[in-house]
Amino acid sequence: RLLTSKRAPREEPVAPFSFLSKCWVLLSFCRYYFPCQRWLAVEEDDGQIARELVPVDEAFVKKDSENDSQSPATLGLEQKAKSTTYTVKVKTGDKKNAGTDANVFITLYGSKDDTGIVSLKASKTNKNKFERGKVDEFTVESVDIGDLKKIKIGHDNKGNSTGWFLEWVEIDAPSLGRCLKFPCGRWLDKSEDDGAIERIIFPAELQTVEYIPFVPYEITVYTSDIFGAGTDADVFIVLYGSDGICTRQKSLCLNKREQRMYFERNSVNQFIVELEDVGDIIEKIRIGHNGGGLNSGWHLDRVTVRRLLPNGK
């Protein structure tokens, strides 16, 4: 998620971001500097829109790093260090009139606490959400609630077509290394089933998937100060560790609105991204974009990457 965005050297307000449930701190020796100073554009330079960059010595951008050391973003990071990001997928059943126009909400209950009521408003996968046979994806951010035990999901029964057939809910917490499935297969409709429009659902233990937890990286992207340097394309990054270990390709923007807002000429955009752990050494990165948008060409000055480590490690 975006941590902060600014036009160098003046900083902009800090935007929302997410972190692991444990207490994480920034360690200066974990920062890597990747200079680029080239175009990522079909009609410029060599025509490439993705580049592999290797790290250089810290002195390359020592002056800039000193200016950033006490930024509000860093202070905000420490304040938010106990937050967890959940990816929530919701499957609407493939039945006649299964979709709903009502406002859907969810509450996650853990062994320590609950999230409170969270409205599911911005689907990452569908413009018109909760339609028949579709899967909608949402992001829910919360303080540490412990191990997820159950959820409550429902709607406010408002709109032209309110009845809803919910097939299942899947909740993935990369920082915890667990993905849980909550099967439902029932109506949330006052005129169907038992008339309930809210349901409490427990996870199906046999469908729970456990994996190595992701770790957070602070990624700062510097766009050059030359004419036409900014881009509206979908910018992505891949981190490479030793022994051929690498992360998945990860988009830095969540949606097209963010793509239009960030990576402007002479801007600095900072993100916290949860990715696979590539180890203590980052040997190179691959950064690029998809070539989309009205102005896709991009002149990248440099990238810095800093891994967040738990206290005492």
Side-chain angles (χ1 to χ4, degrees):
R1 297 295 310 281
L2 180 74
L3 178 59
T4 186
S5 176
K6 63 182 180 180
R7 288 185 179 276
R10 181 172 58 86
E11 294 184 352
E12 299 291 342
V14 177
F17 51 91
S18 61
F19 306 94
L20 297 185
S21 59
K22 298 179 181 178
C23 184
W24 300 87
V25 294
L26 290 174
L27 299 182
S28 59
F29 63 84
C30 291
R31 176 180 284 180
Y32 292 80
Y33 301 87
F34 299 88
C36 181
Q37 299 177 347
R38 294 185 67 181
W39 283 100
L40 286 78
V42 174
E43 298 179 354
E44 299 283 354
D45 204 328
D46 59 359
Q48 298 299 311
I49 60 174
R51 298 195 183 282
E52 290 191 352
L53 308 176
V54 295
V56 299
D57 188 82
E58 180 179 355
F60 179 80
V61 285
K62 185 176 181 181
K63 181 178 180 181
D64 296 285
S65 66
E66 289 174 350
N67 291 337
D68 291 341
S69 61
Q70 296 298 324
S71 70
T74 302
L75 299 176
L77 176 62
E78 296 173 359
Q79 293 295 318
K80 293 272 189 172
K82 292 186 178 181
S83 295
T84 301
T85 299
Y86 298 93
T87 298
V88 179
K89 293 183 179 180
V90 181
K91 172 66 182 296
T92 298
D94 190 11
K95 292 178 175 287
K96 184 179 180 180
N97 300 321
T100 184
D101 295 327
N103 298 304
V104 175
F105 57 84
I106 192 171
T107 303
L108 280 56
Y109 295 89
S111 57
K112 298 179 182 178
D113 202 350
D114 65 76
T115 61
I117 296 174
V118 178
S119 296
L120 300 180
K121 292 183 177 181
S123 173
K124 295 182 180 179
T125 50
N126 300 296
K127 184 176 181 180
N128 192 11
K129 55 188 180 296
F130 307 121
E131 291 296 300
R132 174 178 175 176
K134 300 294 185 179
V135 177
D136 292 285
E137 182 178 325
F138 305 87
T139 297
V140 174
E141 297 178 359
S142 172
V143 296
D144 181 19
I145 63 172
D147 293 334
L148 188 56
K149 297 297 185 182
K150 64 181 179 181
I151 64 172
K152 180 169 70 175
I153 189 167
H155 60 77
D156 62 2
N157 204 44
K158 295 180 179 180
N160 295 326
S161 178
T162 59
W164 184 36
F165 190 90
L166 173 62
E167 194 70 52
W168 48 257
V169 177
E170 181 182 274
I171 300 179
D172 187 18
S175 64
L176 304 178
R178 299 193 77 195
C179 182
L180 292 84
K181 186 69 105 17
F182 297 80
C184 181
R186 297 183 68 177
W187 286 97
L188 285 77
D189 189 339
K190 287 190 173 181
S191 61
E192 297 283 354
D193 204 329
D194 59 0
I197 59 173
E198 296 180 5
R199 298 203 181 278
I200 293 178
I201 312 173
F202 294 87
E205 294 297 334
L206 294 179
Q207 297 184 56
T208 298
V209 177
E210 296 187 352
Y211 54 92
I212 298 175
F214 285 20
V215 298
Y217 294 89
E218 179 194 80
I219 299 172
T220 307
V221 181
Y222 297 77
T223 299
S224 302
D225 186 16
I226 63 174
F227 180 76
T231 183
D232 295 330
D234 182 15
V235 175
F236 63 81
I237 194 167
V238 181
L239 308 184
Y240 293 83
S242 57
D243 301 322
I245 300 174
C246 69
T247 69
R248 67 186 65 183
Q249 181 172 300
K250 177 71 173 180
S251 294
L252 296 180
C253 292
L254 296 178
N255 49 51
K256 291 183 178 180
R257 181 184 65 84
E258 291 190 355
Q259 292 173 27
R260 294 190 295 267
M261 289 175 59
Y262 309 139
F263 309 114
E264 295 295 306
R265 173 180 174 175
N266 194 33
S267 66
V268 180
N269 302 111
Q270 195 171 69
F271 305 84
I272 296 295
V273 181
E274 292 178 354
L275 293 168
E276 295 90 344
D277 187 357
V278 298
D280 295 333
I281 298 176
I282 301 176
E283 293 192 343
K284 65 179 180 178
I285 66 171
R286 182 171 182 265
I287 189 167
H289 60 79
N290 66 348
L294 295 177
N295 302 292
S296 62
W298 184 33
H299 198 282
L300 173 63
D301 184 68
R302 66 187 186 274
V303 180
T304 68
V305 179
R306 185 159 56 169
R307 183 185 178 194
L308 308 190
L309 298 174
N311 283 324
K313 293 187 179 181

